[in-house]
Amino acid sequence: MDEEHLHDDLHDFKDRNFFRLKLRSFATVYLLLALSFLLIFTLFAVSLSRVSAISSKLQEVPLEQRHNISGRDFLLFPCGPRSREWEYFDGKCYYFSLTRTSWHKAKAQCEEMHSQLAVINSYAKQNFVMFRTRNERFWIGLTDENSEGEWEWVDGTDYKTTFTFWKEGEPNNSGSNEDCAHVWGSGKWNDVYCTYECYYICEKPVPK
Ligand SMILES: [Ca+2]
Ligand SMILES: [Ca+2]
């Protein structure tokens, strides 16, 4: 009987111990669960941030490609792929007009296109212009309107110390009324009255 009691007691103790153990193991399981949730949450947050980083990088790709394309286009069209009527020569861009107008209107039209009437300050540039204009007449950015005989380039280039390419006998200020310069036959320069209508050459720096 006693022995049986003892056995019961022992059994009871074992049961209690078992529950305690079980409780402890439950706590461990909960702790593990909580930890794994935390881990999962952290991983999720990390991967979410990576995804958003990647997606923002992906959004940058087309921009980069656009840069590459424009870089490639820049080699083909240094004056800009959207302004192919501008011709590149020696670090600058030139526009040869398709319509004729007076010197002042030509000057204004160049300015409207963020450029100026061409300043021919070297034989290389003269050659380029001559090749391009053939025997047609084109205004250049040279005038003595302010003071007769005092020729001035529109960009302030010093006329007296710079290259000139006048036709023989020009500038002659014919009829005391010739204050604007253009290239004409054989590409040489002539002064003519400023309301004369001819083509014109604009120039601008290579766009950045
Ligand atoms: Ca004159
Ligand atoms: Ca003349």
Side-chain angles (χ1 to χ4, degrees), residues 144 148-149 151 173 178-179 191:
D144 75 337
E148 180 51 42
W151 290 91
N173 200 37
E178 295 191 326
D179 295 341
D191 58 341

Side-chain angles (χ1 to χ4, degrees), residues 66-129:
R66 240 177 289 152
H67 278 306
N68 285 342
I69 287 163
S70 75
R72 228 175 9 243
D73 276 4
F74 183 79
L75 292 174
L76 292 169
F77 308 103
C79 296
R82 270 178 223 91
S83 52
R84 292 176 191 187
E85 66 272 24
W86 289 82
E87 293 173 34
Y88 176 85
F89 175 74
D90 195 24
K92 287 204 169 170
C93 297
Y94 296 86
Y95 172 81
F96 295 86
S97 79
L98 301 171
T99 54
R100 282 179 262 224
T101 190
S102 71
W103 189 86
H104 283 280
K105 279 187 181 161
K107 183 174 181 280
Q109 276 173 29
C110 288
E111 282 161 8
E112 250 174 62
M113 294 189 285
H114 308 289
S115 64
Q116 63 182 27
L117 279 172
V119 172
I120 305 178
N121 52 12
S122 71
Y123 188 68
K125 208 156 154 181
Q126 173 65 34
N127 249 331
F128 164 71
V129 166

Side-chain angles (χ1 to χ4, degrees), residues 170 172 178 190-191:
E170 303 294 346
N172 62 355
E178 295 191 326
N190 170 48
D191 58 341

Side-chain angles (χ1 to χ4, degrees), residues 38-90:
L38 196 70
L39 192 70
I40 286 165
F41 179 77
T42 312
L43 281 174
F44 181 71
V46 166
S47 55
L48 198 70
S49 74
R50 299 262 336 236
V51 162
S52 75
I54 286 166
S55 80
S56 68
K57 266 229 169 115
L58 276 173
Q59 274 175 339
E60 278 169 25
V61 166
L63 246 177
E64 233 167 75
Q65 275 177 350
R66 240 177 289 152
H67 278 306
N68 285 342
I69 287 163
S70 75
R72 228 175 9 243
D73 276 4
F74 183 79
L75 292 174
L76 292 169
F77 308 103
C79 296
R82 270 178 223 91
S83 52
R84 292 176 191 187
E85 66 272 24
W86 289 82
E87 293 173 34
Y88 176 85
F89 175 74
D90 195 24

